[in-house]
Amino acid sequence: QQPVQSPQAVILREGEDAVINCSSSKALYSVHWYRQKHGEAPVFLMILLKGGEQKGHEKISASFNEKKQQSSLYLTASQLSYSGTYFCGTAYNTDKLIFGTGTRLQVFP
Amino acid sequence: EAGVAQSPRYKIIEKRQSVAFWCNPISGHATLYWYQQILGQGPKLLIQFQNNGVVDDSQLPKDRFSAERLKGVDSTLKIQPAKLEDSAVYLCASSRGLGNSYEQYFGPGTRLTVT
């Protein structure tokens, strides 16, 4: 079951904040967040594990609500470099990740 | 450390032809993944290796796709014969361990166009 991401697209001015959500219909083992710029490879941002452990970049924050089976990525004081498509990947056990359809973020000066 | 290497970066073939992609993961990474990313969509896992053994190939169209990871390092993904719907970016990724508590590092991908 592919996770659902919302919103599909976000347009921001530099310095503004944004929240990207990722929802699953099944109980989650972990949620991964990646950012992909046009024509480039996805880049790892964060992993959130069942039980509360998190691994990722210091400047990125995210939450994982196990009861609601959803995760949110918080982008604060956005910079031009934040532009790209954000994908969440969900895992229901230790097997494969299933990626969502992405949220396109554009930051303008 | 060097990242995940892939070649070629671009490939154009006609339908029914065959094509092969190569991936060299980050040194020491035990797990290797091949993903297919169709324009506008998220990556879709085709096959996952742990060292040189297959962990998951449930979404690999085995009538036309094959993959191997010799000696637990490099990997090749082959399509034979190609169909128009195979046009996509093929991403290789690697991680230190098996399971979803490890981050994945992606290569630059191979953009395949089937005409």
Side-chain angles (χ1 to χ4, degrees):
Chain A
Q1 284 86 340
Q2 186 175 38
V4 176
Q5 289 187 233
S6 63
Q8 288 186 311
V10 183
I11 298 175
L12 297 175
R13 293 273 183 204
E14 267 187 299
E16 292 182 337
D17 302 338
V19 180
I20 300 173
N21 301 302
C22 175
S23 296
S24 170
S25 58
K26 290 175 60 176
L28 295 171
Y29 170 79
S30 68
V31 179
H32 294 220
W33 286 97
Y34 292 81
R35 177 173 61 219
Q36 185 175 32
K37 294 183 181 287
H38 183 70
E40 298 181 11
V43 173
F44 167 74
L45 296 176
M46 179 162 284
I47 293 175
L48 303 103
L49 297 167
K50 185 178 178 180
E53 184 181 353
Q54 295 187 4
K55 294 192 284 187
H57 295 283
E58 293 178 3
K59 293 186 177 180
I60 300 288
S61 65
S63 64
F64 180 15
N65 187 320
E66 293 177 38
K67 281 189 177 179
K68 291 186 176 180
Q69 297 160 187
Q70 65 185 34
S71 175
S72 296
L73 185 70
Y74 304 98
L75 302 170
T76 57
S78 58
Q79 304 171 18
L80 295 176
S81 61
Y82 287 11
S83 293
T85 301
Y86 289 76
F87 292 101
C88 70
T90 53
Y92 307 111
N93 46 44
T94 56
D95 288 346
K96 59 179 173 283
L97 278 184
I98 300 175
F99 284 92
T101 52
T103 295
R104 180 172 293 182
L105 178 73
Q106 290 180 283
V107 182
F108 290 96
Chain B
E1 74 188 343
V4 176
Q6 288 188 249
S7 67
R9 293 294 313 275
Y10 305 92
K11 191 74 177 179
I12 301 173
I13 61 172
E14 294 181 353
K15 60 183 179 184
R16 291 187 289 273
Q17 286 187 324
S18 63
V19 64
F21 313 127
W22 174 82
C23 172
N24 182 235
I26 292 173
S27 177
H29 279 198
T31 309
L32 185 147
Y33 312 80
W34 282 103
Y35 288 91
Q36 180 191 59
Q37 186 174 26
I38 292 172
L39 187 64
Q41 299 182 19
K44 172 189 165 186
L45 181 70
L46 292 175
I47 189 167
Q48 178 179 340
F49 292 95
Q50 172 75 359
N51 296 313
N52 60 352
V54 176
V55 174
D56 188 313
D57 63 357
S58 58
Q59 299 189 98
L60 187 74
K62 298 181 186 64
D63 58 334
R64 298 184 301 106
F65 286 64
S66 64
E68 60 182 4
R69 189 181 184 195
L70 299 175
K71 300 180 182 179
V73 182
D74 293 8
S75 177
T76 56
L77 176 69
K78 295 179 182 178
I79 308 175
Q80 182 179 11
K83 292 185 176 181
L84 295 176
E85 59 260 36
D86 297 333
S87 293
V89 175
Y90 290 84
L91 294 164
C92 179
S94 68
S95 65
R96 282 184 291 118
L98 179 65
N100 291 303
S101 58
Y102 295 93
E103 59 267 39
Q104 296 184 22
Y105 295 87
F106 286 82
T110 297
R111 183 177 297 275
L112 174 68
T113 302
V114 182
T115 62

